Amino acid sequence: MSHFSMKNSIHLFDSPQKTAVAVAEFIMVKAIEKTKLNKQLNIGLSGGNTPKLLFELLATQYKTKIPWQTIRIFWVDERCVPVNDSESNYGMTRDTLLNHISIPDENIFRIKGEENPHSEAVNYEKIMRLELPIVNSHPQLDVVLLGMGDDGHTASIFPNQMHLLSVMESVSVTTHPVSGQHRITLTGGAITNAPTVLFLITGKSKSTVWKQMFRQEPESDTFPAYHVHSLNGTALFFLDKEAASEL
Ligand code: 6PG
């Protein structure tokens, strides 16, 4: 797997709000393109705090601008907790986005965090293989939306689990290195199989990791986010000025 590419495309905005608008526009354009071709847009969503603003924006200002019936939603990762737990990525997405838009239920493919993690990882991999084209031995999403942790993790691939970047499975069980919480995550193979891999990164807490990655400092080699990219070897980065403030 190649490292951070000089061909990555980096988009910088004044505020988290403006960054979210740019990502919403990007998703809208992709969805309209697919609708014109009579195809669906298969998108993988991340959880955590950062995408909340994007989801709220999609649920309001983009509620009628986006052809939601074209979009099929998968998850990049899920915490192994019940759906109504405040930690659930699906629960957060349901409350901020899904409950407010007209998207058919059959277009939502959630990872069941309440199930046994190992059997659910196997189950989700089966669902993805059934629903998506198989390319390079992995299911292929069209767009993967990622965040980045202040330790350089992405999806739920943490720095002590670099092997998950190259395992044969597309979906795996993992453990948060600090809390010990079980997670289910797409692996490097499934993520980098997408033609579009888009990182949404906002806030001061991400600035050190971003600087190290951007400058290709030696530490960055231990960051899973540094090794993740799209099928063509590049990634899109949408950042606010706080995240880029150490450059
Ligand atoms: C999750 C994520 C994870 C997230 C980063 C950043 O379930 O936590 O999908 O990869 O994108 O941890 O999280 P924040 O946006 O909360 O900083």
Side-chain angles (χ1 to χ4, degrees):
M1 216 169 273
S2 69
H3 287 180
F4 194 80
S5 164
M6 292 314 281
K7 291 193 195 133
N8 285 335
S9 104
I10 299 168
H11 306 265
L12 197 56
F13 301 90
D14 274 349
S15 64
Q17 182 70 21
K18 285 184 181 162
T19 318
V21 169
V23 178
E25 289 284 321
F26 183 90
I27 294 170
M28 182 182 74
V29 169
K30 289 273 175 202
I32 292 172
E33 269 170 25
K34 289 285 186 183
T35 310
K36 283 185 186 150
L37 296 171
N38 224 355
K39 288 187 175 166
Q40 285 169 310
L41 180 73
N42 295 307
I43 181 161
L45 298 180
S46 283
N49 280 319
T50 314
K52 285 181 187 165
L53 193 60
L54 169 67
F55 295 166
E56 284 160 5
L57 187 73
L58 290 171
T60 52
Q61 293 182 43
Y62 290 82
K63 187 183 167 89
T64 54
K65 283 189 189 168
I66 290 181
W68 290 105
Q69 69 290 344
T70 294
I71 298 186
R72 298 203 309 163
I73 298 182
F74 294 81
W75 268 265
V76 164
D77 67 343
E78 182 57 280
R79 291 93 180 267
C80 296
V81 295
V83 265
N84 288 324
D85 191 295
S86 61
E87 282 273 296
S88 165
N89 284 343
Y90 168 76
M92 181 277 280
T93 311
R94 176 197 58 194
D95 296 347
T96 55
L97 175 63
L98 305 176
N99 280 351
H100 311 280
I101 55 173
S102 299
I103 185 161
D105 284 348
E106 64 264 27
N107 290 18
I108 312 291
F109 299 89
R110 77 174 177 97
I111 302 175
K112 294 185 178 138
E114 70 276 24
E115 300 288 345
N116 169 283
H118 291 278
S119 46
E120 180 56 15
V122 171
N123 184 46
Y124 202 65
E125 173 142 358
K126 257 189 219 151
I127 293 174
M128 290 187 81
R129 288 183 179 274
L130 207 67
E131 297 291 340
L132 298 168
I134 304 297
V135 177
N136 302 318
S137 318
H138 288 285
Q140 185 179 52
L141 290 160
D142 297 303
V143 176
V144 172
L145 207 69
L146 294 174
M148 183 178 74
D150 49 18
D151 59 354
H153 80 258
T154 192
S156 280
I157 306 176
F158 295 91
N160 63 343
Q161 298 150 354
M162 299 300 269
H163 65 283
L164 292 180
L165 293 171
S166 53
V167 288
M168 277 172 62
E169 293 81 22
S170 304
V171 183
S172 182
V173 179
T174 153
T175 307
H176 189 285
V178 180
S179 68
Q181 180 187 61
H182 286 307
R183 304 267 183 106
I184 294 173
T185 188
L186 300 195
T187 62
I191 295 170
T192 59
N193 215 20
T196 302
V197 169
L198 191 160
F199 282 87
L200 170 60
I201 305 174
T202 60
K204 185 89 191 120
S205 68
K206 310 292 165 72
S207 61
T208 303
V209 173
W210 173 251
K211 177 197 70 179
Q212 289 170 329
M213 240 165 67
F214 184 79
R215 294 197 181 148
Q216 309 201 36
E217 289 176 4
E219 294 86 342
S220 54
D221 209 37
T222 66
F223 303 157
Y226 182 67
H227 298 275
V228 162
H229 46 72
S230 72
L231 202 53
N232 73 9
T234 66
L236 301 172
F237 290 87
F238 284 66
L239 294 109
D240 77 335
K241 66 173 185 224
E242 288 292 313
S245 59
E246 287 190 38
L247 285 171

